[in-house]
């Protein structure tokens, strides 16, 4: 995602790349961010000194790792810049750290930055609010073989929306990953499953399996550009907002 962002920022005259961050052991340190993204040199060297970069920036766009994103949110609070978080796979404690940082910085966080998925999330809520619990809800994600977290952040967004539509707590009804002699499906459960393989950018389905009919809401990401475009839109949107924790629905006005 870093390389995709560098490319799209270089193409957008509203935006200037002032830094590119990696961790202290990254082989990319001191490399030119433009060259790493397959462009001409941009004169921006990759660094692990986040504070140094952030003090000169209006925003930081972050698709990295949960502990890195939680730490970065504290620096965003310190430097008062917009923090766009696309990273997925947070623990409850890391979510709480980000919420605390959002008292001092504009933080836009979403498990999926694309317009299509954020619209689908609304549709998921509408569909599950309209159908009773005789319709079983199953959510499926498929991603490339390099993805390290499961289920995807998007699958969890869809599950939250489905639970909200049905007016139940996701924690109480989520059924994550079946294996072995599971017994019959729990009435009212929201099933969440993950497939990994190949170079799939990101496929999601919300399946409503009812008595004698099945409704499938699905989204296929065809390029990672859609996530980067959403993140850049969020960074620009956040520029004149008050500190707080926002979502892509806020950015898109959905
Ligand atoms: N919300 C959305 O729309 C999207 C979210 N994502 C999420 O974004 C995250 C990253 O995805 P992706 O780009 O595919 O993953 P990659 O592994 O390709 O990129 C993550 C990068 O972050 C680096 N990194 C790890 N720790 C730190 C740190 N402490 N400080 C700075 N950089 C660090 C990694 O370095 P190294 O490889 O050396 O460890 C790597 O270069 C994932 O959580 C993914 O689920 C992805 C796409 C869209
Ligand atoms: O890791 C990815 O690639 C993606 N992660 C996000 C997720 O966990 O939902 C968004 C997108 O599907 C790509």
């Amino acid at each position: 995602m870093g390389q995709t962002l560098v490319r799209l920022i270089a193409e957008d005259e509203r935006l200037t790349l002032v830094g590119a961050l990696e961790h202290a052991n990254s082989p990319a340190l001191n490399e030119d961010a433009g060259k790493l993204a397959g462009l001409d040199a941009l004169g921006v060297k990759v660094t692990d000194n986040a504070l140094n970069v952030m003090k000169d920036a209006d925003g930081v766009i972050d698709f990295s790792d949960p502990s890195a994103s939680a730490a970065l949110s504290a620096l965003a609070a310190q430097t008062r810049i917009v923090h766009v978080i696309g990273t997925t796979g947070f623990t409850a404690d890391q979510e709480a750290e980000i919420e605390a940082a959002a008292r001092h910085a504009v933080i836009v966080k979403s498990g999926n930055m694309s317009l299509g998925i954020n619209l689908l999330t609304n549709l998921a809520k509408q569909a599950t609010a309209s159908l009773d619990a005789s319709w079983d809800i199953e959510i499926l994600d498929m991603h490339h073989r390099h993805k390290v977290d499961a289920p995807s952040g998007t699958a969890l967004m869809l599950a939250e929306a489905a639970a909200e539509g049905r007016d139940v707590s996701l924690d109480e009804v989520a059924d994550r990953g079946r294996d072995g002699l599971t017994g019959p499906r729990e009435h009212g459960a929201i099933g969440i499953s993950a497939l990994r393989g190949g170079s799939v950018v990101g496929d999601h389905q919300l399946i409503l399996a009812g008595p004698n009919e099945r409704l499938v809401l699905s989204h296929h990401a065809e390029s990672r550009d859609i996530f980067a475009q959403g993140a850049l839109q969020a960074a620009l949107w956040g520029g004149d907002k008050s500190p707080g924790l926002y979502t892509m629905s806020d950015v898109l006005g959905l």
Side-chain angles (χ1 to χ4, degrees), residues 1-2 21-23 26-27 63-65 68 86-88 110-114 144 147 149 224 227:
M1 285 305 299
L21 293 172
E22 261 292 357
H23 57 80
S26 170
F63 291 78
S64 58
D65 150 276
T87 308
T88 54
S110 176
N112 197 302
M113 298 284 172
S114 74
H144 52 90
K147 187 162 176 61
D149 56 314
R224 307 195 107 204
F227 310 131

Side-chain angles (χ1 to χ4, degrees), residues 237-250:
W237 176 89
D240 62 0
K241 299 297 175 293
S242 305
L245 186 55
Y246 299 92
T247 66
M248 271 313 279
S249 276
D250 297 317

Side-chain angles (χ1 to χ4, degrees), residues 11-251:
E11 287 169 5
D12 190 329
E13 59 190 22
R14 298 168 301 170
L15 302 165
T16 307
L17 185 72
V18 296
L21 293 172
E22 261 292 357
H23 57 80
N25 300 321
S26 170
L29 288 185
N30 295 317
E31 300 282 342
D32 187 278
K35 284 195 169 169
L36 286 172
L39 310 173
D40 290 340
L42 291 171
V44 175
K45 302 278 187 215
V46 175
T47 173
D48 65 343
N49 191 335
L51 195 54
N52 216 24
V53 167
M54 288 166 73
K55 69 179 175 38
D56 293 331
D58 297 314
V60 58
I61 301 176
D62 169 19
F63 291 78
S64 58
D65 150 276
S67 59
S69 293
L72 213 55
S73 72
L75 294 183
Q78 191 180 330
T79 52
R80 303 289 199 264
I81 68 171
V82 178
H83 186 189
V84 178
I85 304 179
T87 308
T88 54
F90 292 103
T91 62
D93 284 350
Q94 289 163 339
E95 300 272 8
E97 282 178 55
I98 292 168
E99 267 172 47
R103 289 202 291 268
H104 307 288
V106 173
I107 300 186
V108 182
K109 177 170 168 294
S110 176
N112 197 302
M113 298 284 172
S114 74
L115 171 61
I117 281 291
N118 283 281
L119 186 56
L120 188 74
T121 303
N122 278 5
L123 296 175
K125 187 172 162 189
Q126 205 181 315
T128 56
S130 307
L131 300 170
D132 67 26
S134 68
W135 290 73
D136 296 326
I137 303 173
E138 290 288 319
I139 292 162
L140 181 65
D141 85 86
M142 179 154 190
H143 282 88
H144 52 90
R145 62 166 69 103
H146 303 291
K147 187 162 176 61
V148 296
D149 56 314
S152 70
T154 311
L156 291 172
M157 271 170 70
L158 290 170
E160 276 293 354
E164 230 179 284
R166 196 165 263 185
D167 202 18
V168 293
S169 150
L170 182 61
D171 285 344
E172 283 168 20
V173 299
D175 188 354
R176 292 167 66 151
R178 303 184 183 93
D179 188 22
L181 200 61
T182 60
R185 192 180 197 285
E186 199 73 46
H187 180 74
I190 296 182
I192 311 173
S193 313
L195 305 177
R196 297 287 175 263
S199 56
V200 178
V201 174
D203 287 352
H204 291 91
Q205 288 191 353
L206 182 133
I207 302 162
L208 288 149
N212 300 316
E213 55 183 327
R214 190 154 21 108
L215 176 63
V216 182
L217 302 178
S218 65
H219 180 266
H220 302 279
E222 294 173 355
S223 159
R224 307 195 107 204
D225 285 15
I226 58 173
F227 310 131
Q229 279 157 350
L232 295 174
Q233 187 177 349
L236 290 169
W237 176 89
D240 62 0
K241 299 297 175 293
S242 305
L245 186 55
Y246 299 92
T247 66
M248 271 313 279
S249 276
D250 297 317
V251 174

